Amino acid sequence: MATQPPPPRRVAALLLVLVAFASASASDSAARADLVVTRADRRVDLTSHIVRVLTSLKVENIGPEAVSQVLLAFPNVQAKNLAAIRAFGTEGKVKGPSTALPIEVVQPSGVPPELTFFSASLSKALEKGKTLHLDVLTVFTHSLQPFPEEITQAESQLVVYQDSAHYLSPYPVKVQTLSIRLPGGRVESYTKYPNTKLAESELKYGPFEDRPPFSYSPMVVHFENNNPFAVAKEVIREIEISHWGNVQITEHYNIAHGGAKLKGEFSRIDYQSRPYVRGVSSFRHLIARLPPRAHSIYYRDEIGNISTSHLWSDSKKTQLEVEPRFPLFGGWQTTFTIGYGLPLQDFVFNSDGKRFLNITFGSPVEEILIENLIVKVALPEGSKDIEVSVPFPVKQWQEVKYSHLDISGRPVVVLEKPDVIPEHNLYFQVHYRFNNISLLREPMMLITGFFLLFIACIVYMRTDLSISKNSPSYLAKVQWDEVQNIIQQIQAIFEQCLALHDKLEASLRDLSRSGDVQSCKAARKAADAQFKELAKELKPLLTSLHSSPQSFQIWPKVEDLVAKERELQEKLMARHSTVVDSFEKKLRGQDVENRIATQQQKVAALRQEVESLLEYISEII
Amino acid sequence: MAEPGSSTAAAGDGGGRLRNAFGGVLCAFTLLLIGVLAFSIRLFSVIKYESVIHEFDPYFNFRVTQFLSKNGIYEFWNWFDDRTWYPLGRVIGGTVYPGLTLTAGTLWWLLNSLNIPLSVETVCVFTAPIFSANASWATYLLTKEAKGTGAGLMAATILAMVPSYISRSVAGSYDNEAVAIFALIFTFYLYVKTLNTGSLFYATLNALSYFYMVCSWGGYTFIINLIPMHVLLCIVTGRYSSRLYIAFAPLVILGTLLAALVPVVGFNAVMTSEHFASFLVFIILHVVALVYYIKGLLTPRLFKVAMTLVISVGLAVCFAVVAILIALVASSPTKGWSGRSLSLLDPTYASKYIPIIASVSEHQPPTWPSYFMDINVLAFLIPAGIISCFLPLSDASSFMVLYLVTAAYFSGVMVRLMLVLAPAACILSGIALSEAFNVLTRSIKCQLAKLFDDSPAASGDSSAESSSASTASTNSAKNENRSEKTKTIPKEKPSKNRKKEREVAESVPVKHKKEKKLLVLPMEASAMGILLLIVLGGFYVVHCVWAAAEAYSAPSIVLTSRSHDGLHVFDDFREAYAWLSHNTDVDDKVASWWDYGYQTTAMANRTVIVDNNTWNNTHIATVGTAMSSPEKVAWEIFNSLDVKYVLVVFGGLVGYPSDDINKFLWMVRIGGGVFPHIKEPDYLRDGNYRVDAQATPTMLNCLMYKLCYYRFVETDGKGFDRVRGYEIGKKHFKLTHFEEVFTTHHWMVRIYKLKPQKNRVRGKLKKLKSGSKTSSTIAAGRNKNPWQ
């Protein structure tokens, strides 16, 4: 055989020695003296890269005293890869409702140090002669060693699994079996014992009968396993609660293929033309099961969006298939980020004045081993009395995060746990107090900010902020303001003048219609008086304008305007009187027209000039 | 009677003020909308693709900004980048225009100190759109100085969506030009503002704005040459004034001092000939100022005498100075001009002497269609704008014309400088459109008033005089008309003369707008004109939106193609860069053609040999030589450079035309420019570049060919190249010194690893040794490998 498997024979040998020693030394611990395992069935699942061992034990108390705990033993090499252990006990013969038993590490006296002991505490002590059904689920990581450690693109991946054919227990075991489920495909080799049977993808050992305590007989199976060995070196899972109605989850993955490393070239043509032959050991996508009603899902890495992903959703779940930028061969790694929002009411609840977040701990990606998981729960700003309850031991501390206009920062609960497997996808709770008024803090802050900005603008526009009150530019500005003021007054006066002119014209029209000479005359008189009044008003303004040094630009125009207007007035009056005169003398229309024609033109021209001057001045201001 | 009259007048005055205030608010609101338009039209790339940095240079700027935001400003100035130009490295702080980086860095810092957690990337992506909004506001200010508010608004609107500028400032196009165009326009605005006001305050601001421009872009030389040209123009046309002096003299002194503070410019600000024009004009300006001063002191006769004296002496001195200058300039190798500037003056310069400049597509002269593509209908509006700048010609409007003319010249030299032309084109078109609308709407206004007057006049007397009633008096005219109508019934009764009289009396108030009547066009013509202008503007808007959405929104690192079964995304570049960054060692060196240098350092974080900052021609030529050499020689060159991976871009499988095979001739040319054993004709068959069966053996054996087409024939059995459109020449071959380590999904990027040196077999040791010695001496003798 070309590929000669098990390298770690040495460990097994050592274990054997140890077991011999252990059984030789008098095992007098009270805890394990009186129990007998009447039947032990172990089922090992090797289909994925996470090894799950389900051990069904039937334990009988044959001693005189009631026993309240059952010991479970693992060799240290296995124990260090142990990610999760759970035990469910049912007393009596009938399979009743099983209860989860608390499990803790113990170190009984007089046992070899190469073994790690766990003790499952029974809820009710096992009386003499009673039987207990105990189901122990143990999950191991890193237990499948790729062998060979480096393969080419075309080869499939072979792994080695080591265990004991006999159930390692501090108690004598009467009957036991071991069945190992393999993923199918080639089985390179396996340790053969008398009762060994390989059928399809199932390897069976046993039944073995009447083994003493600590019996250990190493077995090794070397087989093909091409399932994705997705190992995340680190996953950071950020959960951010917003009481505006959203729980935002962002997960940063750093994923590697944990199987046999790729050696030699990676040829795309081989991979593309025969993907299931050339590149069978690689995986190209992962599936994440997100909670239902997940929205705004994104999938990207540090250099942008990754366009290869698919999403299905129904009322029960949201399934996201993410495909990294490139297929992952052994030893290759990549990073990416998945983010999604969840409706608040599905995950945050109220209970007697406190709120709590109830959400799963692990990553939603299927069959992924996370070597280090950091969960950060960012609570809204102003949360108090924070308590965390997690169903398994984690390292936890608090941080403060500043985001979106925070002032005091958001409290962040950080939970860290190594070796997280899908079995850890349990719900955990974060309890906290939060007042809804705090929600309005940031909007109010924005409103106040803008309000102050506008106030500042108004104040700036309305107040005089110049430092020096006698600098030339300041004086010039003040003078210019004065000039503007005066000009505006002058403009108003001229507007009135023009209005008066119009009135005079109107009176002429009235005359032509009604022939009422007297009223026309009266109108002229009134206009005359008003003109005089306006001229009086104008005079001080003009003098002050003339004296102002800033008016050099505008003064000639104003002067011009005044002169033109006066002329216009005179002409208008003259014409008015002419028309009225001719009316009184009952002259013919033709004659009247002849008489006033020249005047008419002049008036029109003047009026136009005056208006353009006015326009010009208003443009300057 | 007096009181109501005065009160109405007061009301009219108040109404005017209100109208002014309303106009101000409307103007501000329009400007706000223009800003929103300028910002949002550039978001097509984010909506259609994603919020990502585009193209090549922006990746470098992004990386620098990341460094700045992480390490602070002092680290940034002293940054020696050892991840590029291996083994030389690059002093980033001293060779980069820091304006853009500092702007985005400040923006990011500001946002983060307000606890708004935006990533550096997001800030970088949106810097360009923000600054295009600023640029359109600056355009408003500049045009307003020349031709008033209306033209300003028009020009700002046009600039907000001019395709030429959009091409450089879509969201994600994080390049120097994005902020530089704003700085350019704003500097011009401050110059014109100083020219109009003569205020030293604006002159100082102008120098600061010029400093910002120098920080931002190498194109600042355009400013420092254009403004002196304008000053000279003003002096020559007899427009010298103290305002001109204030506008120019502080700019030269302060501006040059400030420019010298920017490390990348440094003493270039006084030593290269690009800046000499400003100093020359500075001297001339002082001479002219002195002449004007003396003219004021002396009597005309005395002045004439002094003039002749000074001119004779002055000419002699001038000749001497000019001779010295010419001698100085001629003694320097490039005549004191940098290559890029020289190719501006002599368009054929670059292609003759510097292949590395000529190889960049944006340094090519533009074609006519590209003018239409980039400035569209503005090209037709510009002449009208120039004409209206001459009616009347002011300092500001002459500046606009000069700006346009010079920019048009430069845009004809390099496609890239179309960007400088765009603001000028927008300003002049804005002026043209605004003037046209002004004339047309005014005539329509007058005509409308006439129409209102005519309808009653038709029933009564059809006097032409009453037609040109002013709009202000339209209402009163209407009232008059109504009263007139009532009068028409007893019309027969009054005597003839009365009627005449009334007609005379009536015609008086409406006569005064005679002057404006001269500019009035016929109603139909002006309505038609407005309609046509609106259609023209509509075309422009449609074109701009199309350009923004389709032509210029692609980020170029992600390609998409629409086929019958939907959208297909080609994300190969990032696939390759991601692979490099995760699956190679941090200190591995990656060799590729220089185009991909910036992206490799920014996205893959790996050391590259050459990048887009083409400062070392020899180094680029080395890579070019390696790519065009046979495998073994290339391996030696790359190995001597400590290269571990070679990256090539290959489009033959999916038909991506800008791949390395199409760029290969430039590698040969640039390589051959330094290492003469690479000869371009060796790669050409009868002057044609081809890689099919007729290709030369040199071509078919060079590294680039082999790396691109390695095992390509196995895809379809024939080796049909979809870019070149034929089957490749050499189909089956093996690589001896390189091994394929990664090829992306669509084969667009292929990464090869240099195989390690083989162990020497003991028996052959001696022979090999002597063999390698001779080969190495040969290599050294032929200068194949510059590192030996």
Side-chain angles (χ1 to χ4, degrees):
Chain A
M1 221 164 82
T3 47
Q4 190 55 244
R9 276 252 160 92
R10 212 171 55 81
V11 181
L14 188 133
L15 264 172
L16 266 183
V17 171
L18 149 196
V19 167
F21 154 79
S23 48
S25 72
S27 43
D28 55 351
S29 172
R32 60 182 187 267
D34 309 326
L35 291 180
V36 169
V37 178
T38 51
R39 187 174 180 85
D41 295 316
R42 281 189 296 151
R43 285 196 294 279
V44 180
D45 184 358
L46 296 182
T47 49
S48 85
H49 66 125
I50 299 168
V51 177
R52 296 182 174 84
V53 181
L54 183 67
T55 313
S56 307
L57 299 174
K58 208 185 272 180
V59 185
E60 195 182 343
N61 187 358
I62 51 167
E65 287 161 34
V67 178
S68 63
Q69 57 176 5
V70 179
L71 286 183
L72 305 164
F74 299 94
N76 281 351
V77 283
Q78 274 189 1
K80 77 171 170 26
N81 289 332
L82 182 69
I85 177 165
R86 264 170 227 166
F88 306 92
T90 322
E91 209 177 322
K93 290 220 156 63
V94 195
K95 283 251 168 188
S98 60
T99 49
L101 307 177
I103 287 187
E104 57 186 358
V105 182
V106 288
Q107 193 60 51
S109 59
V111 294
E114 286 81 5
L115 294 180
T116 308
F117 283 88
F118 291 87
S119 120
S121 318
L122 305 180
S123 49
K124 201 172 78 184
L126 194 64
E127 299 293 329
K128 181 180 180 299
K130 287 278 171 64
T131 320
L132 172 78
H133 285 278
L134 194 63
D135 288 327
V136 182
L137 174 70
T138 43
V139 185
F140 298 97
T141 59
H142 301 292
S143 296
L144 297 181
Q145 296 295 326
F147 188 86
E149 285 186 344
E150 286 190 341
I151 54 171
T152 62
Q153 187 187 348
E155 285 173 315
S156 61
Q157 174 175 276
L158 296 170
V159 292
V160 168
Y161 176 72
Q162 302 179 45
D163 203 345
S164 162
H166 297 154
Y167 178 56
L168 182 65
S169 167
Y171 313 111
V173 184
K174 282 195 173 145
V175 181
Q176 60 173 307
T177 58
L178 168 67
S179 74
I180 297 172
R181 228 181 107 213
L182 301 173
R186 202 148 51 101
V187 176
E188 201 76 10
S189 70
Y190 56 94
T191 316
K192 293 191 177 67
Y193 283 103
N195 291 330
T196 310
K197 200 165 64 188
L198 176 67
E200 304 219 339
S201 58
E202 184 120 352
L203 182 63
K204 280 195 169 139
Y205 285 93
F208 303 107
E209 287 176 7
D210 286 331
R211 308 306 305 183
F214 298 111
S215 57
Y216 187 96
S217 52
M219 57 78 50
V220 166
V221 57
H222 187 205
F223 61 101
E224 182 183 331
N225 186 345
N226 285 318
N227 287 316
F229 274 44
V231 178
K233 304 272 176 220
E234 185 175 72
V235 173
I236 298 172
R237 192 159 187 256
E238 289 167 7
I239 302 167
E240 188 160 344
I241 299 170
S242 158
H243 276 277
W244 292 102
N246 192 32
V247 177
Q248 180 66 37
I249 299 187
T250 315
E251 292 164 357
H252 306 276
Y253 290 87
N254 178 6
I255 282 196
H257 187 300
K261 296 209 178 347
L262 178 74
K263 75 173 176 209
E265 349 191 283
F266 162 67
S267 169
R268 177 65 73 167
I269 181 74
D270 288 341
Y271 184 73
Q272 270 173 345
S273 53
R274 295 179 292 269
Y276 295 103
V277 181
R278 306 297 185 99
V280 67
S281 63
S282 68
F283 64 92
R284 60 160 69 193
H285 58 75
L286 296 163
I287 291 177
R289 288 185 192 280
L290 310 180
R293 301 211 279 151
H295 60 88
S296 333
I297 300 164
Y298 65 85
Y299 168 49
R300 57 167 295 154
D301 63 2
E302 63 266 38
I303 54 175
N305 176 53
I306 307 175
S307 51
T308 45
S309 60
H310 304 278
L311 183 76
W312 299 271
S313 60
D314 54 36
S315 60
K316 294 211 179 60
K317 63 171 194 311
T318 308
Q319 185 171 324
L320 175 69
E321 182 192 304
V322 296
E323 196 175 311
R325 288 192 187 275
F326 42 87
L328 283 176
F329 278 88
W332 287 13
Q333 46 182 305
T334 188
T335 59
F336 58 84
T337 302
I338 299 175
Y340 48 94
L342 298 170
L344 183 78
Q345 66 271 20
D346 291 6
F347 294 93
V348 177
F349 307 96
N350 273 317
S351 75
D352 46 283
K354 282 188 101 170
R355 295 159 197 266
F356 69 95
L357 169 80
N358 187 33
I359 201 164
T360 51
F361 184 78
S363 136
V365 177
E366 285 185 340
E367 283 301 296
I368 187 177
L369 161 66
I370 303 168
E371 291 186 347
N372 191 25
L373 173 68
I374 297 173
V375 178
K376 295 180 174 179
V377 182
L379 301 170
E381 194 178 18
S383 306
K384 298 183 293 282
D385 301 342
I386 299 155
E387 285 167 34
V388 186
S389 66
V390 188
F392 35 79
V394 290
K395 205 158 98 187
Q396 62 166 281
W397 67 92
Q398 283 200 13
E399 284 175 0
V400 177
K401 176 186 175 185
Y402 293 92
S403 137
H404 294 297
L405 300 168
D406 288 345
I407 292 173
S408 58
R410 309 181 179 197
V412 180
V413 178
V414 187
L415 310 171
E416 188 177 355
K417 179 165 171 47
D419 282 334
V420 178
I421 47 166
E423 272 72 12
H424 287 123
N425 255 355
L426 302 173
Y427 282 91
F428 74 103
Q429 290 80 34
V430 180
H431 300 264
Y432 60 97
R433 279 185 200 285
F434 178 72
N435 195 343
N436 268 338
I437 298 293
S438 308
L439 272 185
L440 297 175
R441 196 143 93 180
E442 273 145 21
M444 288 313 286
M445 212 165 78
L446 277 182
I447 290 168
T448 325
F450 276 99
F451 182 69
L452 289 179
L453 180 74
F454 289 135
I455 292 278
C457 283
I458 290 169
V459 167
Y460 175 77
M461 297 297 281
R462 300 278 159 170
T463 51
D464 184 3
L465 289 177
S466 52
I467 300 162
S468 154
K469 300 287 182 204
N470 45 17
S471 76
S473 70
Y474 176 75
L475 289 180
K477 194 171 164 282
V478 169
Q479 282 161 359
W480 179 241
D481 284 346
E482 268 171 31
V483 168
Q484 268 184 325
N485 201 15
I486 294 169
I487 295 280
Q488 270 166 10
Q489 286 176 20
I490 291 175
Q491 271 178 322
I493 288 171
F494 277 103
E495 294 287 342
Q496 285 180 40
C497 283
L498 290 181
L500 278 176
H501 295 171
D502 287 347
K503 239 176 239 164
L504 278 177
E505 302 289 349
S507 72
L508 272 186
R509 269 200 300 279
D510 280 348
L511 177 69
S512 70
R513 196 178 65 228
S514 61
D516 187 356
V517 179
Q518 288 312 310
S519 68
C520 194
K521 272 184 177 166
R524 190 170 77 196
K525 213 170 246 173
D528 207 33
Q530 253 179 340
F531 277 136
K532 281 198 178 117
E533 216 167 275
L534 287 175
K536 228 184 269 170
E537 269 180 49
L538 193 58
K539 217 164 196 181
L541 291 176
L542 284 179
T543 48
S544 62
L545 182 66
H546 188 53
S547 62
S548 171
Q550 284 294 312
S551 62
F552 64 91
Q553 210 181 350
I554 210 165
W555 174 248
K557 294 285 172 192
V558 174
E559 226 172 6
D560 206 15
L561 178 66
V562 171
K564 287 272 157 54
E565 205 276 337
R566 185 142 303 150
E567 206 181 335
L568 176 63
Q569 247 177 55
E570 279 164 11
K571 291 274 189 273
L572 213 56
M573 285 303 200
R575 195 181 61 140
H576 198 267
S577 53
T578 323
V579 173
V580 172
D581 273 1
S582 51
F583 241 90
E584 279 179 329
K585 287 172 190 162
K586 308 264 188 224
L587 283 178
R588 283 181 56 237
Q590 195 65 44
D591 295 345
V592 178
E593 200 171 320
N594 285 344
R595 281 178 68 182
I596 62 167
T598 48
Q599 285 173 333
Q600 182 80 34
Q601 274 173 13
K602 262 187 196 159
V603 165
L606 277 172
R607 170 114 190 184
Q608 198 181 321
E609 271 176 41
V610 167
E611 284 198 347
S612 64
L613 275 172
L614 271 176
E615 219 166 81
Y616 179 85
I617 288 169
S618 63
E619 264 171 27
I620 284 180
I621 295 285
Chain B
M1 189 126 189
E3 280 154 76
S6 63
S7 74
T8 50
D13 187 41
R17 205 176 294 165
L18 193 71
R19 204 168 57 211
N20 278 347
F22 183 67
V25 169
L26 194 69
C27 179
F29 188 64
T30 315
L31 279 178
L32 187 74
L33 285 183
I34 288 171
V36 170
L37 171 72
F39 184 82
S40 52
I41 201 172
R42 286 166 169 80
L43 298 186
F44 275 110
S45 63
V46 171
I47 293 160
K48 287 184 69 182
Y49 295 88
E50 56 180 289
S51 167
V52 73
I53 309 279
H54 288 198
E55 309 253 340
F56 303 102
D57 288 19
Y59 268 98
F60 170 73
N61 298 325
F62 168 53
R63 183 163 160 257
V64 176
T65 315
Q66 265 183 325
F67 184 90
L68 172 73
S69 59
K70 204 187 284 171
N71 297 308
I73 179 90
Y74 292 105
E75 285 290 311
F76 165 68
W77 287 124
N78 297 324
W79 185 18
F80 179 81
D81 185 10
D82 57 354
R83 300 197 78 76
T84 181
W85 292 98
Y86 183 83
L88 307 172
R90 178 184 171 192
V91 186
I92 299 278
T95 57
V96 78
Y97 284 101
L100 176 74
T101 314
L102 291 180
T103 308
T106 314
L107 218 59
W108 178 83
W109 174 82
L110 205 72
L111 287 171
N112 267 46
S113 56
L114 286 175
N115 279 335
I116 298 173
L118 286 181
S119 66
V120 179
E121 191 189 0
T122 315
V123 174
C124 290
V125 165
F126 291 103
T127 300
I130 290 171
F131 270 81
S132 13
N134 289 349
S136 48
W137 291 329
T139 309
Y140 163 75
L141 292 173
L142 174 58
T143 320
K144 193 181 146 207
E145 281 306 310
K147 279 285 171 182
T149 315
L153 287 175
M154 203 70 217
T157 318
I158 293 173
L159 186 105
M161 49 188 179
V162 65
S164 171
Y165 187 27
I166 285 181
S167 73
R168 291 317 183 109
S169 63
V170 291
S173 180
Y174 178 55
D175 213 346
N176 289 336
E177 287 92 333
V179 297
I181 292 302
F182 159 70
L184 181 88
I185 301 172
F186 198 63
T187 310
F188 285 156
Y189 157 67
L190 286 171
Y191 169 70
V192 172
K193 181 84 182 174
T194 321
L195 205 55
N196 281 348
T197 57
S199 149
L200 209 50
F201 171 69
Y202 284 111
T204 319
L205 281 189
N206 189 18
L208 288 176
S209 168
Y210 172 67
F211 174 57
Y212 184 63
M213 177 70 193
V214 177
C215 281
S216 305
W217 196 32
Y220 75 90
T221 45
F222 181 65
I223 295 183
I224 206 63
N225 284 303
L226 178 63
I227 290 181
M229 272 167 82
H230 180 246
V231 171
L232 206 61
L233 184 79
C234 284
I235 291 173
V236 169
T237 51
R239 286 170 164 271
Y240 171 80
S241 64
S242 56
R243 288 176 288 114
L244 188 70
Y245 184 85
I246 287 172
F248 186 64
L251 175 68
V252 171
I253 301 294
L254 281 177
T256 307
L257 281 176
L258 288 170
L261 291 180
V262 182
V264 65
V265 177
F267 278 105
N268 283 350
V270 285
M271 282 169 69
T272 54
S273 9
E274 282 103 325
H275 304 81
F276 285 171
S278 64
F279 300 133
L280 194 67
V281 173
F282 186 68
I283 294 167
I284 293 173
L285 186 71
H286 276 89
V287 170
V288 170
L290 189 72
V291 167
Y292 271 82
Y293 178 68
I294 290 172
K295 205 175 179 179
L297 286 183
L298 299 179
T299 60
R301 209 172 57 83
L302 220 62
F303 178 71
K304 231 171 209 172
V305 175
M307 201 60 172
T308 43
L309 199 81
V310 167
I311 280 180
S312 48
V313 176
L315 273 183
V317 174
C318 268
F319 275 123
V321 170
V322 165
I324 292 169
L325 266 180
I326 287 175
L328 273 177
V329 166
S331 66
S332 74
T334 59
K335 309 206 164 42
W337 292 73
S338 67
R340 266 174 210 171
S341 309
L342 266 179
S343 73
L344 281 182
L345 298 181
D346 173 13
T348 56
Y349 176 83
S351 52
K352 265 192 272 177
Y353 303 108
I354 316 172
I356 200 140
I357 291 181
S359 75
V360 181
S361 60
E362 59 187 24
H363 292 163
Q364 308 293 334
T367 52
W368 284 113
S370 72
Y371 274 98
F372 189 73
M373 174 72 202
D374 276 359
I375 56 175
N376 202 244
V377 301
L378 306 188
F380 311 120
L381 289 171
I382 289 169
I386 294 177
I387 290 170
S388 67
C389 272
F390 278 99
L391 303 168
L393 188 69
S394 64
D395 288 348
S397 64
S398 69
F399 180 75
M400 300 302 162
V401 174
L402 192 68
Y403 175 25
L404 177 91
V405 171
T406 47
Y409 170 73
F410 286 131
S411 75
V413 176
M414 252 190 215
V415 181
R416 197 152 109 125
L417 293 178
M418 193 80 95
L419 193 58
V420 176
L421 173 67
C426 290
I427 291 166
L428 286 174
S429 315
I431 292 172
L433 274 182
S434 158
E435 290 287 315
F437 273 123
N438 204 2
V439 169
L440 295 176
T441 49
R442 198 176 56 220
S443 30
I444 284 202
K445 249 187 202 167
C446 295
Q447 302 284 341
L448 275 182
K450 179 177 161 189
L451 214 66
F452 277 120
D453 261 14
D454 267 355
S455 51
S459 62
D461 33 34
S462 54
S463 117
E465 295 288 290
S466 63
S467 62
S468 54
S470 80
T471 48
S473 60
T474 311
N475 268 347
S476 62
K478 261 193 208 164
N479 291 340
E480 265 171 39
N481 293 338
R482 206 168 296 135
S483 60
E484 226 176 310
K485 259 185 188 168
T486 54
K487 275 188 291 177
T488 44
I489 305 157
K491 176 173 104 178
E492 302 301 328
K493 284 176 188 169
S495 59
K496 182 90 177 162
N497 61 353
R498 274 192 177 186
K499 184 185 157 196
K500 279 278 176 192
E501 233 176 72
R502 197 197 63 204
E503 187 190 312
V504 169
E506 189 201 332
S507 66
V508 174
V510 289
K511 242 186 170 177
H512 59 265
K513 287 279 172 177
K514 207 175 203 169
E515 182 201 39
K516 288 194 176 165
K517 233 180 81 184
L518 295 174
L519 291 173
V520 167
L521 293 168
M523 176 79 172
E524 295 76 18
S526 43
M528 206 60 198
I530 286 181
L531 205 71
L532 284 178
L533 282 182
I534 288 173
V535 168
L536 194 70
F539 273 131
Y540 176 70
V541 172
V542 168
H543 174 80
C544 289
V545 172
W546 172 81
E550 300 291 332
Y552 294 134
S553 66
S556 96
I557 56 162
V558 190
L559 308 165
T560 54
S561 79
R562 236 174 269 279
S563 61
H564 54 91
D565 54 344
L567 195 73
H568 202 76
V569 180
F570 299 87
D571 203 358
D572 285 37
F573 288 105
R574 286 193 296 189
E575 183 183 343
Y577 293 133
W579 185 86
L580 271 179
S581 86
H582 295 303
N583 298 303
T584 57
D585 192 66
V586 177
D587 288 325
D588 283 346
K589 281 86 192 169
V590 180
S592 64
W593 190 233
W594 59 263
D595 293 21
Y596 314 105
Y598 277 164
Q599 291 185 347
T600 311
T601 40
M603 280 199 265
N605 191 23
R606 290 296 172 265
T607 310
V608 294
I609 305 299
V610 290
D611 68 20
N612 309 40
N613 175 260
T614 52
W615 67 274
N616 189 327
N617 193 30
T618 315
H619 220 49
I620 292 179
T622 309
V623 173
T625 307
M627 293 293 189
S628 27
S629 305
E631 222 184 314
K632 186 165 187 299
V633 181
W635 186 90
E636 276 165 13
I637 296 174
F638 279 141
N639 194 47
S640 68
L641 283 169
D642 202 11
V643 167
K644 210 156 174 201
Y645 296 93
V646 181
L647 180 150
V648 293
V649 172
F650 170 63
L653 184 74
V654 287
Y656 171 64
S658 49
D659 65 348
D660 276 349
I661 290 288
N662 275 1
K663 289 172 185 167
F664 181 62
L665 222 45
W666 287 113
M667 301 183 204
V668 173
R669 273 179 207 153
I670 293 170
V674 178
F675 304 105
H677 70 276
I678 302 287
K679 293 182 195 69
E680 195 179 331
D682 291 348
Y683 298 85
L684 303 175
R685 173 75 71 193
D686 306 329
N688 289 326
Y689 175 65
R690 54 203 315 162
V691 290
D692 59 358
Q694 293 176 20
T696 59
T698 324
M699 178 70 222
L700 295 182
N701 279 318
C702 73
L703 183 71
M704 180 52 76
Y705 178 87
K706 284 192 166 178
L707 296 190
C708 282
Y709 292 114
Y710 176 59
R711 299 188 72 183
F712 176 60
V713 69
E714 293 170 44
T715 52
D716 58 354
K718 288 184 302 201
F720 184 81
D721 185 321
R722 293 200 192 168
V723 175
R724 265 61 63 174
Y726 45 68
E727 286 178 25
I728 56 171
K730 194 173 168 187
K731 295 176 180 173
H732 300 277
F733 54 86
K734 281 205 160 63
L735 293 176
T736 53
H737 291 74
F738 294 85
E739 61 177 352
E740 183 185 7
V741 286
F742 190 73
T743 297
T744 57
H745 188 242
H746 302 100
W747 290 52
M748 275 162 60
V749 184
R750 311 192 71 181
I751 301 171
Y752 292 85
K753 191 176 181 178
L754 271 73
K755 278 188 183 164
Q757 251 166 331
K758 280 199 182 107
N759 286 336
R760 285 171 179 166
V761 184
R762 184 169 279 277
K764 290 184 179 175
L765 186 67
K766 209 174 177 189
K767 197 181 160 192
L768 261 174
K769 225 178 195 174
S770 60
S772 72
K773 209 179 244 170
T774 50
S775 79
S776 74
T777 48
I778 287 168
R782 283 163 60 191
N783 201 7
K784 245 177 204 166
N785 184 346
W787 303 104
Q788 278 179 357

